[in-house]
Amino acid sequence: MKKGIFISLEGIEGTGKSTQSRLLSEALTAAGYEALLTFEPGGTRIGQSIREILLKPDHKEMSFVAELLLYNAARSQHLHEVILPALERGAVVITDRYTDSTVAYQGYGRGIDIELLKSIDRISTKGFMPHLTILFDLDVQVGLERNRGVNKVDRFELEEVAFHEKVRSGYLEIARLEPQRIKIVDASKEPQDIHKQVKDIVMERLCR
Ligand code: TYD
């Protein structure tokens, strides 16, 4: 049994996840917890190299299966090199994206069979799931507009709106199936209001 608490933050593009993960990590540190903030794809040296392959806008020829396996490869490295050791120390680990991203993007978005995808997850993570997941839900157009504002372009931002709609509804379906683990937060609110809600959810989980 791992000692720490494992929290993942999920959502489509432009929901403000990165800002919220930073605010949460700062709040936990201020409250005296060891908080470790990390992200996928990336979070390790090898993961960072895989991230570059995955997100390069020029890699238009990448097959959906190659994409799926690369996300899983990055995740396995991340889990064993960063997440599990931190949990063993008793840290609160906050990751910006984890397995639900693969189910939402490669499963619901790309159309890869979810059961097949979960069998690969059993290889890469042995089914190790977060104790708590916060899903930032937002209108697709609003999210894409926000990202355009920061001039961020990767292979996924080049996808059409219909793809992102499938990802968003996929996330909502995942959350519907696992209400105990996944809490939905309305990401259209002001950043400070969202932060307060996130902090309340996390503190409630930590005090259990
Ligand atoms: P990133 O720049 O981290 O995006 P964001 O700021 O939106 O989190 O890029 C990660 C991209 O990779 C994002 O578009 C979602 C996608 N992704 C998957 O398709 N599958 C996955 O398993 C993960 C972790 C991410």
Side-chain angles (χ1 to χ4, degrees):
M1 187 59 189
K2 302 284 172 286
K3 289 179 247 149
I5 296 283
F6 183 27
I7 302 170
S8 65
L9 306 186
E10 295 283 357
I12 58 164
E13 324 294 304
T15 54
K17 260 182 315 90
S18 313
T19 307
Q20 290 301 327
S21 57
R22 187 175 42 75
L23 292 174
L24 174 62
S25 163
E26 287 166 5
L28 289 174
T29 305
Y33 292 93
E34 180 197 345
L36 181 105
L37 177 56
T38 184
F39 65 98
E40 290 194 5
T44 64
R45 207 161 60 91
I46 291 168
Q48 198 56 37
S49 299
I50 298 174
R51 177 185 176 89
E52 282 161 27
I53 300 172
L54 276 164
L55 298 185
K56 204 171 169 190
D58 180 41
H59 284 174
K60 294 189 180 65
E61 72 276 32
M62 189 181 293
S63 77
F64 292 170
V65 173
E67 181 181 283
L68 169 69
L69 295 174
L70 285 169
Y71 277 114
N72 275 274
R75 180 162 307 127
S76 172
Q77 189 68 31
H78 189 211
L79 182 64
H80 292 96
E81 189 181 326
V82 175
I83 299 172
L84 292 177
L87 291 174
E88 284 292 349
R89 289 198 306 272
V92 181
V93 177
I94 304 158
T95 182
D96 184 342
R97 299 193 180 281
Y98 188 67
T99 309
D100 295 315
S101 281
T102 306
V103 178
Y105 283 79
Q106 280 65 53
Y108 289 95
R110 300 298 197 204
I112 299 177
D113 180 78
I114 308 278
E115 283 314 308
L116 187 61
L117 194 146
K118 286 191 174 164
S119 66
I120 295 169
D121 181 68
R122 282 197 287 278
I123 300 173
S124 49
T125 74
K126 296 196 176 67
F128 187 75
M129 291 302 278
H131 299 101
L132 171 68
T133 295
I134 297 179
L135 171 58
F136 295 92
D137 183 51
L138 185 66
D139 178 83
V140 166
Q141 294 283 8
V142 174
L144 292 175
E145 272 312 308
R146 278 191 192 169
N147 265 9
R148 246 166 238 139
V150 292
N151 234 349
K152 184 169 164 291
V153 177
D154 63 35
R155 262 186 342 106
F156 288 88
E157 266 112 38
L158 296 174
E159 283 292 336
E160 48 200 50
V161 172
F163 172 80
H164 295 284
E165 292 287 3
K166 282 191 251 175
V167 175
R168 182 190 184 192
S169 55
Y171 267 130
L172 292 172
E173 177 64 8
I174 300 169
R176 195 184 62 78
L177 295 172
E178 281 191 77
Q180 287 300 323
R181 173 174 67 88
I182 306 176
K183 306 296 171 203
I184 302 174
V185 166
D186 176 357
S188 68
K189 301 221 176 86
E190 288 301 311
Q192 278 308 329
D193 296 339
I194 299 174
H195 171 57
K196 189 181 173 310
Q197 202 185 338
V198 168
K199 206 170 64 178
D200 288 348
I201 294 170
V202 170
M203 287 305 178
E204 192 272 330
R205 181 64 184 74
L206 289 175
C207 295
R208 243 186 246 171

